[in-house]
Amino acid sequence: MHILWPMTFQGDGPLDTSGVSGGGGGGGGGLPGGIKLGGGAVGIIGIIVAVLFGVNPGDIMGGGGNGNNASVQGNGADPQLQEQINSCTIAKANSDVVCRVVATSNSLNKVWPTLMNGYTRPALRIFNDNQVASGCGVASKAAGPFYCPADQTVYINPSFYDELSGQLGGSNLPLAQEYVVAHEYGHHVEQLTGDLAKGQRMGAKGPTSGSVRIELKADCYAGVWANHADKGPNAMLKPLTQQDIEGVIQTAQAIGDDTLGMKNSDGWTHGSSEERVRWFTTGYQSGDPNQCDTFGTNDL
Ligand SMILES: [Zn+2]
């Protein structure tokens, strides 16, 4: 049965799949003991850590954290997935979740150079395996999508979307899925501007921690992208609807630290549901990255 989702991409034609790879890796054995995100290691000055989407912090990571992934066996290439990626078109992005991720990366790589000088593209790694080898260590898919600054790569296992719209209560609408990718690209922008390193020096937990500032800024940047993605002669998205935006808000609400069960804000890493929604909305309504100044206020 064919389910008709609201379309977000317009037109047809090929996608740019350079810089997009498919595969997991990390060997078949158990994870070596290593850095646990959310643990004490995250706040250490100078350490390079991955930035998680925020669903299961503390769940992953071993054998890395310093950009050295020598413990990883093989490159984990997934030829079948790579073929799927290479065959993606804009039209397929409306029906195929892998192509939707690829198309979103294309749109992000079009929008961000118009908003900032010196934007360079991150790599994108899509994986179907249970774990993935990254420059920040081996990550379990349970950790959810993440950005690794050591190799400037966004990692995503599309099965996360089932978790997001299932047990977590997020939306399965296309723009809500695209928001996840845009949030991770937001972390890449933060890496380029230095905000990621700055935030990681400022501490990993608490309602005004560096981590929360990093995450809310990435949500705001995702909103900035959404503002621009359906405008201009190069717009890849058709005009966004209220329903599209409401899907993003539903997802942002679902992944606030408080909604995920963290009643004590001392443990927050990503901010409350209200904050995540509000910063996305700030970015979306303004379209201006300068409005995403989560480091310039304590009123997050
Ligand atoms: Zn994040």
Side-chain angles (χ1 to χ4, degrees):
M1 183 176 136
H2 183 72
I3 298 171
L4 208 61
W5 293 111
M7 298 194 335
T8 49
F9 287 95
Q10 61 183 0
D12 198 5
L15 290 169
D16 182 354
T17 59
S18 63
V20 186
S21 62
L31 299 180
I35 291 171
K36 284 210 171 216
L37 287 190
V42 175
I44 293 172
I45 290 173
I47 202 165
I48 300 170
V49 293
V51 194
L52 302 178
F53 196 63
V55 175
N56 293 311
D59 199 14
I60 56 151
M61 293 289 171
N66 57 0
N68 176 0
N69 58 0
S71 65
V72 170
Q73 298 160 8
N75 64 8
D78 182 336
Q80 201 179 341
L81 179 56
Q82 189 69 54
E83 204 176 299
Q84 185 183 358
I85 290 167
N86 293 344
S87 71
C88 284
T89 62
I90 294 173
K92 276 191 193 173
N94 285 320
S95 58
D96 177 319
V97 71
V98 167
C99 295
R100 181 170 299 141
V101 170
V102 174
T104 305
S105 79
N106 278 208
S107 175
L108 284 152
N109 286 330
K110 280 187 178 177
V111 167
W112 273 108
T114 70
L115 300 174
M116 82 176 277
N117 291 323
Y119 177 81
T120 55
R121 299 176 175 197
L124 173 62
R125 180 77 156 178
I126 301 172
F127 65 104
N128 290 331
D129 298 346
N130 287 328
Q131 59 187 44
V132 65
S134 83
C136 295
V138 178
S140 158
K141 77 168 182 182
F146 66 98
Y147 172 73
C148 172
D151 56 12
Q152 298 200 2
T153 301
V154 170
Y155 293 85
I156 185 166
N157 184 321
S159 69
F160 173 72
Y161 289 129
D162 297 331
E163 184 186 352
L164 187 58
S165 63
Q167 63 196 88
L168 293 175
S171 165
N172 61 2
L173 288 174
L175 191 72
Q177 297 185 342
E178 293 154 17
Y179 152 66
V180 174
V181 182
H183 172 99
E184 297 305 331
Y185 274 62
H187 286 317
H188 175 65
V189 171
E190 292 178 300
Q191 162 70 7
L192 296 176
T193 62
D195 281 335
L196 195 55
K198 179 181 173 183
Q200 291 190 336
R201 286 192 300 268
M202 287 171 66
K205 288 185 178 182
T208 58
S209 62
S211 176
V212 166
R213 294 174 194 276
I214 286 170
E215 296 302 333
L216 295 177
K217 190 160 201 163
D219 284 336
C220 188
Y221 281 167
V224 169
W225 163 76
N227 174 291
H228 292 274
D230 66 348
K231 295 178 183 67
N234 291 322
M236 291 182 66
L237 296 191
K238 71 180 187 57
L240 296 176
T241 65
Q242 191 58 33
Q243 184 192 26
D244 293 326
I245 298 301
E246 280 166 9
V248 176
I249 287 171
Q250 180 185 338
T251 286
Q253 261 167 353
I255 56 178
D257 285 327
D258 51 346
T259 302
L260 290 169
M262 203 169 291
K263 292 194 171 62
N264 186 340
S265 64
D266 289 347
W268 285 5
T269 58
H270 284 69
S272 68
S273 292
E274 187 274 330
E275 289 169 338
R276 298 198 72 162
V277 169
R278 185 157 39 76
W279 281 102
F280 170 80
T281 305
T282 296
Y284 178 64
Q285 289 180 347
S286 69
D288 177 5
N290 294 319
Q291 300 302 312
C292 301
D293 188 14
T294 59
F295 286 87
T297 179
N298 280 325
D299 187 20
L300 291 168

